[in-house]
Amino acid sequence: MRSLITLDDWAPSDVEQVFALADAYRDGRGPVTTGCAVMFFPATSLRTRVTFERGAALMGLQPIVLPDTTLDKAEALGDVAAYLDAWADIVVVRHPDLAVVQGLADAGTLPIVNAMTDRNHPCEVLSDLWSLRRLRGGLESTRFLFVGADGNISRAWHEAARLLHLDLVQCCPTGLASPGARTTDDLETAIRSADVVLTDGPGAHAEQLAPYRITAALLDTAPEGVRLNPCPPFVRGREVGADAIDHPAFVGHGFKASLLPVQQAIMAHCLA
């Protein structure tokens, strides 16, 4: 049974199949199925929930959406999965605790898709990579610069880098990087060789990361064709300057349109 819990669990062939399916859904020729997708989302979820719920309906799955706190009970996760297996074909889970998502998958009764935890966010990164590949024609020579501290977005990008052998460097103050990351604390130098600049919110490190804000002036020093892809929700004047969002490098809004076909593709791949 195929689930998506972390990208470390997948092979490059899984990503290629998801990208091929996303191409098909983008062109209106993706596979249609029947069944039910049970989804767990917090009230604050916006982009991920809309695209999973809409995507499921478009591909023929009935979405049933429940609060993520529905899973915060003493009931064993294996029992939850066993009951859901009687009515659902796939489960999509956004929950802070990766162990909850993993516990549902460990039951081995039906596919589980990780729609975000406090440890990673694989669907978001797959969507961005699909967009980048379409834009650049490939990922092999792309130099990625992640500007920010350790967190679920940073770790998801490092999962993808390990899986697909991406050239990824993390830029942040010493001591704030993700485990095992290639790092630098010199943003002005690092951005001069970056093809794609990625950011995340500063969390508890706003003061330390303030000097690492991406501005239009910094983007002007990057290679021609650089792309700025901040992870939403971003805040102008925090991890990115308002002038950076107005810069031609910014691709954030357009890239997030890809969440719909890519998340349809992830569900189809797991259901297959």
Side-chain angles (χ1 to χ4, degrees):
M1 181 172 300
R2 182 181 293 108
S3 292
L4 175 56
I5 310 303
T6 76
L7 289 173
D8 287 319
D9 301 328
W10 272 21
S13 60
D14 290 303
V15 177
E16 286 300 321
Q17 290 176 50
V18 164
F19 286 178
L21 283 164
D23 290 340
Y25 280 112
R26 176 200 61 194
D27 298 339
R29 53 182 177 82
V32 176
T33 186
T34 58
C36 172
V38 171
M39 303 182 180
F40 296 92
F41 281 104
T44 55
S45 182
L46 174 63
R47 288 156 288 267
T48 307
R49 175 178 171 177
V50 168
T51 48
F52 262 118
E53 192 170 349
R54 174 68 172 155
L58 287 173
M59 62 192 290
L61 293 167
Q62 178 193 5
I64 297 177
V65 183
L66 302 166
D68 64 326
T69 52
T70 306
L71 297 170
D72 297 336
K73 301 175 182 177
E75 184 179 16
L77 292 168
D79 292 331
V80 173
Y83 284 118
L84 289 176
D85 186 42
W87 315 303
D89 299 278
I90 191 167
V91 176
V92 176
V93 187
R94 179 164 176 169
H95 191 280
D97 190 353
L98 180 62
V100 170
V101 185
Q102 185 68 63
L104 291 168
D106 286 345
T109 56
L110 71 174
I112 308 296
V113 176
N114 174 359
M116 195 180 87
T117 71
D118 284 350
R119 299 286 291 180
N120 63 352
H121 199 351
C123 297
E124 181 97 2
V125 170
L126 286 174
S127 174
D128 287 343
L129 288 171
W130 182 72
S131 296
L132 281 167
R133 191 170 78 160
R134 290 182 58 215
L135 185 67
R136 295 177 59 85
L139 301 171
E140 293 78 12
S141 60
T142 304
R143 296 164 296 185
F144 294 84
L145 178 65
F146 182 90
V147 183
D150 180 36
N152 61 343
I153 303 302
S154 169
R155 293 196 179 207
W157 275 103
H158 283 94
E159 287 177 14
R162 288 191 293 270
L163 174 61
L164 301 174
H165 306 290
L166 304 179
D167 182 355
L168 173 66
V169 174
Q170 184 171 4
C171 184
C172 61
T174 302
L176 294 187
S178 296
R182 292 170 52 210
T183 64
T184 179
D185 61 1
D186 186 348
L187 177 58
E188 290 188 3
T189 298
I191 203 167
R192 292 180 195 140
S193 59
D195 299 307
V196 179
V197 179
L198 310 159
T199 70
D200 190 19
H205 307 291
E207 185 175 345
Q208 290 170 276
L209 288 168
Y212 291 80
R213 182 178 301 118
I214 302 300
T215 64
L218 278 170
L219 291 169
D220 285 341
T221 68
E224 183 178 355
V226 65
R227 306 297 177 180
L228 171 64
N229 185 38
C231 182
F234 57 81
V235 176
R236 291 167 175 82
R238 190 181 63 181
E239 65 268 39
V240 290
D243 57 357
I245 302 303
D246 294 332
H247 194 278
F250 175 69
V251 293
H253 300 148
F255 270 30
K256 293 312 162 193
S258 299
L259 284 168
L260 181 62
V262 171
Q263 290 176 168
Q264 286 180 296
I266 290 167
M267 288 187 284
H269 182 58
C270 290
L271 284 166

